[in-house]
Amino acid sequence: MTSRKTLPLLTLVSLGLACAAPAYAAPAPPAIAKLARAALPAVVDVESIDPMKAKPGSGAASKPGDGGFHKTATDKADSHSLIVPPRAEQALGTGFFISPDGYIVTNHHVIAGASEIKVTLHDGRIFTAKLVGADKKADLAVLKIDTGKPDPYLTFGDSGKLDLGDWVVAIGNPFGLGFSVSAGVVSALHRDIGSGPYDNFIQTDAAINRGNSGGPMLDAAGHVVGVDSAIYSPSGGSVGIGFAIPSSMVKPVALSLIAHGSMTRGWAGLRVEHVSADMQRAWHLKTGDGVVVGGVVAHGPAAGKLAPADVITRVNGNPIDTVHAFKVALAEIPAGQTARLRYRNDGHVHDATITIAVPPKQATPSAKPKPVPAATAPKPDMITALGIGVMTHPGAQGVIVVSVDKNGAAAHAGLQADTLIEAVGPDFVTSPKALNDRLAHKHAVALLVDGPDGSSWISVALDHAAKAH
């Protein structure tokens, strides 16, 4: 009979694993019982109540002030109406104290549309909560109750320091059963699941179910690194794929809701887009990482510090690889605070610090200029290298394309008439001459254009460069 010691050894060798000790020490799970005892008093059940409207086909619709009784069915046998008491739609979720004076964080979707919000503390006491403010885009809300004494509360940790495999603990009220604790690891970071404009979820295999929404996700030190918000589940229950909003988003939103009742996201005065393969070739970029600056708003936070064709690779030290990641990074920075941007230009790495501002109010659109009679309209300037005719645009920075030679370089790149050319690489153009000057002695250029589909960069191989060869 094969000895019990031989079989594991053979198995390891067959898998290509040596019997030497691993090169690292696996991290031990946190002391979950101790962590839970400390955190549970700060976690609450949240119940939102909203009068439920009668469904189509069920009789008279519910109306405010109608006495609360609605005809929902008719007994044809005796022609008497069946009268039923009003019903209310209830949503159960979770929340947690973030300060000793009664402020509670939860999900927006837990309390959305509620006419009344009840909060049940860990000791069983029930309070009616006031909605301080909500941010639908981040799916967060802040409630307030007054218990008459300081409340136990949780502190925020740094979600930016989480790594794959780190232990996390989720506390919530699954299916309304009451306070429950589950543990798991960080399965993935920066997940965009399409639920909102600032998706940047932490994914975990800790058990998260319906009713856990709004509950805290804690790190091994007991600090809040996320708010449990969503699950992926064909069955409706936990299958090990849960998502939490990172504390890097939760903390600034919560503080803004407490201070102002709403969340006004900061503005950098930048228009950015993905680094395309065409840009990478035209600008000789080694990688496609980062986002390229398409435009800088005059007198905005980034004016004079960044320019079109700068490729932003980091915000406050965090790597940026997509436009979505850039928008999320800025959304986590309240107006008035600074953002450290790292960018590449001409093969060199630069740093810039900008102060995030409140977005400006939309100006009233100015009246469109009256059309100029054809007899007095100026003739377009021909840009031979691109095969286009252009004119100075009276109401915008750039030159407008008025004609395109179907056999020219611009046509081959997809440029169309009525497109505004704003820049050649990092250089803005304000006249046909400036455009021509920027094309001299170049084999290919990246043009910043504004057309029917919005602003974008296009790469153009120039005709004079092709003829030179």
Side-chain angles (χ1 to χ4, degrees), residues 210-288:
R210 298 181 185 277
N212 277 90
S213 288
M217 173 183 282
L218 309 175
D219 62 14
H223 299 140
V224 178
V225 289
V227 172
D228 302 325
S229 299
I231 60 173
Y232 174 80
S233 174
S235 65
S238 174
V239 295
I241 305 177
F243 302 98
I245 305 168
S247 59
S248 59
M249 177 69 74
V250 179
K251 184 176 180 179
V253 170
L255 294 179
S256 180
L257 294 180
I258 291 172
H260 310 292
S262 62
M263 177 62 182
T264 301
R265 288 184 164 76
W267 175 69
L270 290 171
R271 184 174 66 246
V272 300
E273 61 182 271
H274 298 292
V275 179
S276 68
D278 285 342
M279 293 179 204
Q280 197 173 337
R281 286 192 296 269
W283 298 343
H284 307 291
L285 301 176
K286 293 181 180 179
T287 71

Side-chain angles (χ1 to χ4, degrees), residues 144-178:
K144 179 76 162 64
I145 65 172
D146 183 7
T147 62
K149 61 181 181 179
D151 302 299
Y153 64 96
L154 300 176
T155 58
F156 288 107
D158 187 352
S159 57
K161 293 182 178 179
L162 287 177
D163 204 352
L164 302 186
D166 281 350
W167 283 91
V168 288
V169 174
I171 303 178
N173 177 22
F175 301 109
L177 294 172

Side-chain angles (χ1 to χ4, degrees), residues 3 32 69 115 240 257 267 285 296 308 348 375 464 468:
S3 70
I32 296 172
F69 291 90
S115 59
L257 294 180
W267 175 69
L285 301 176
V296 181
H348 301 287
H464 63 207

